[in-house]
Amino acid sequence: MDIFKKTLSLLIFSFLSLLMAQGTLADTQPIDASKVDTQAEIKYAPKKGELATPNPDLKIDSVNEKFAEKYPRQYDSWKSTNKSTAADSAIEQDPRMIVLWGGYAFAKDYNKPRGHYYAITDVRNILRTGAPTDANTGPQPMACWTCKGPDVPRLIAEWGEEGYFTGKWAKAGAEVVNSIGCADCHDTGSKDFADGKPALRIARPHVLRALEAIDKPFEQSDRTDQRAAVCANCHVEYYFDKTNANNVVFPWYKGVDVDSMEKYYDEIGFKDWEHSLSKAPMLKTQHPDFETWSMGTHGKNGVTCIDCHMPKVQGEDGKVYTNHQIGNPFDAFESTCAKCHDQSKQTLKQTVANHKKDIKEVMIKLEDQLVSAHFEAKAAWDAGAAQDEMKDALQAIRHAQWRWDYSAASHGGHMHAPDVMLKVIASGLDRAADARRELAIILSRHEVKQPIDYPDISSAEKAWKVMGIDIEKERQAKDEFIKTIVPEWNKEAKAKGLLINDEPPVK
């Protein structure tokens, strides 16, 4: 154990050294969203009576196609996100995840992210949303739509937050049909937008509250912070407040780093689910990209998501516009990385690849420790362990897996803040070691032979079987849902004028 910790320390030190030698960055005022003023006015999640009410004055046109004629370059580049077609299964490539998310829907299906064009398609197709047959059935709440497109802020404006968030996911099947697009980030009805200005806007009230909690109120922020904040509509950690209207809340009231958010969750007694093996009260991290970016080199130097993923480019007609394809910065190297760095494209790509490889290697070590801990906890329960003697071990599992998931779910964490990722994983390994030490004592106390027999989870099929998931049944139900229910949703949406020509692709 001591040798492994020393290895981690050396890894962290080497990455910090690499970052210092990585080249000149933009000379702008730093932003550090992890530093939160404890005297800020809003420091708590909203109660039901504090949720936003319907706002008839807020008009949101959610149909992306309507802006194609006036802004053809931006629209065509946005639509080019359909080129990111691969819907690769992350859990089939790494079956440990099936165990780590035991008892939670992510154990059934979790894919690597692809283009924004597929946001509606992917949430319809993913096994996690089940196969609802009407507006009141299915496993997921309305909040599962919240990041998927501009129909969401339109509905919140029309129904209010309580009206929007209350109910099952299928309630809005014929309403949320336009993928992430124009009105998610722009005030498309404003004069500024009509005049060709960005007119950036955040129309989701829960995002505005979160930004106020970290002393970054949107309307008072400068252009740099606003450009980053629009991406925080979705690329963040969040939870559904089950004590309220199942509304979305960002856990930023103590800070945006992994320890501060964990402390907030612990203090309010929140859990996403109870693990089916270990019975630990688990947290499911979403995609804390804004948070990790804000703590990384780019965030601290005012280099935003837009600078790297949506650069200004010159069209064939010589006109300059913002590329809305939202791609890998290396695909437009001269317009992105080369604006600040003097290293070659190949050198920077190799640096990032090394970061990713080394972080992944340590992350897998943490996964292995967590998988063992869940099975060991089950063995302890089976041997008659009591709740009181299991409490500390379960809390350590919760904290360790929160750190693994924070690292695994962060899109591009190896690029945004590799030093932060390594520190988070290292602290997760420490907590996993705490959990397994506690469990070893409990197992010995109950005379359980160690090491216990760990089941074979070397493939997704084997892992699903171990975890009691009938994956073929889930897939058949989803196929029937896509064939029968989804066409009705599209038909109804067209009748309402929410779809003009293009329907969300089937796959």
Side-chain angles (χ1 to χ4, degrees), residues 68 71-82 324-325:
Y71 303 106
R73 298 173 185 82
Q74 290 84 350
Y75 179 82
D76 289 344
S77 60
W78 164 82
K79 198 167 183 179
S80 291
T81 62
N82 66 5
H324 282 58
Q325 189 169 351

Side-chain angles (χ1 to χ4, degrees), residues 101 120 200 236 290 336:
W101 291 323
I120 299 299
L200 296 179
V236 290
F290 176 86
T336 56

Side-chain angles (χ1 to χ4, degrees), residues 110-293:
Y110 176 60
N111 296 329
K112 296 179 180 180
R114 59 178 180 167
H116 281 178
Y117 183 81
Y118 297 101
I120 299 299
T121 298
D122 289 347
V123 76
R124 287 174 170 182
N125 289 359
I126 200 78
L127 295 181
R128 299 198 301 270
T129 53
T133 56
D134 57 44
N136 300 309
T137 58
Q140 301 299 347
M142 269 291 296
C144 284
W145 288 114
T146 303
C147 288
K148 304 308 176 186
D151 287 304
V152 171
R154 174 183 65 79
L155 289 176
I156 293 175
E158 293 175 9
W159 300 350
E161 285 188 283
E162 186 175 353
Y164 167 77
F165 284 112
T166 301
K168 291 288 189 176
W169 175 76
K171 180 179 84 171
E175 291 281 355
V176 185
V177 293
N178 292 281
S179 282
I180 300 165
C182 310
D184 278 309
C185 305
H186 303 282
D187 185 354
T188 55
S190 69
K191 184 179 183 303
D192 279 351
F193 191 76
D195 291 341
K197 297 177 182 178
L200 296 179
R201 176 178 67 183
I202 289 179
R204 290 167 171 82
H206 61 273
V207 182
L208 294 172
R209 285 191 294 264
L211 292 170
E212 290 175 1
I214 59 171
D215 298 334
K216 297 273 183 194
F218 186 77
E219 294 300 330
Q220 298 173 30
S221 294
D222 60 23
R223 183 170 175 268
T224 296
D225 281 3
Q226 287 194 345
R227 282 153 56 90
V230 292
C231 298
N233 264 295
C234 304
H235 288 266
V236 290
E237 162 61 3
Y238 58 85
Y239 70 100
F240 301 163
D241 189 351
K242 302 168 189 175
T243 66
N244 204 348
N246 236 358
N247 52 293
V248 172
V249 178
F250 298 178
W252 292 355
Y253 297 100
K254 293 182 177 295
V256 301
D257 59 281
V258 72
D259 296 310
S260 296
M261 289 192 284
E262 176 187 84
K263 186 176 181 181
Y264 171 80
Y265 281 136
D266 286 351
E267 287 188 3
I268 66 172
F270 178 82
K271 65 179 179 182
D272 281 295
W273 89 103
E274 183 178 279
H275 198 277
S276 59
L277 295 176
S278 64
K279 309 303 179 187
M282 304 301 295
L283 296 170
K284 174 69 191 80
T285 321
Q286 308 310 322
H287 21 68
D289 309 326
F290 176 86
E291 295 91 333
T292 53
W293 161 84

Side-chain angles (χ1 to χ4, degrees), residues 366 369-370 373 396 400 427-437:
L366 179 50
Q369 295 299 311
L370 283 164
S427 63
L429 280 161
D430 277 344
R431 295 301 280 138
D434 292 340
R436 296 194 68 191
R437 182 176 61 250

Side-chain angles (χ1 to χ4, degrees), residues 6-21:
K6 288 178 181 177
T7 302
L8 279 173
S9 297
L10 287 171
L11 272 172
I12 292 169
F13 178 78
S14 65
F15 270 98
L16 287 171
S17 299
L18 278 169
L19 285 170
M20 292 174 68

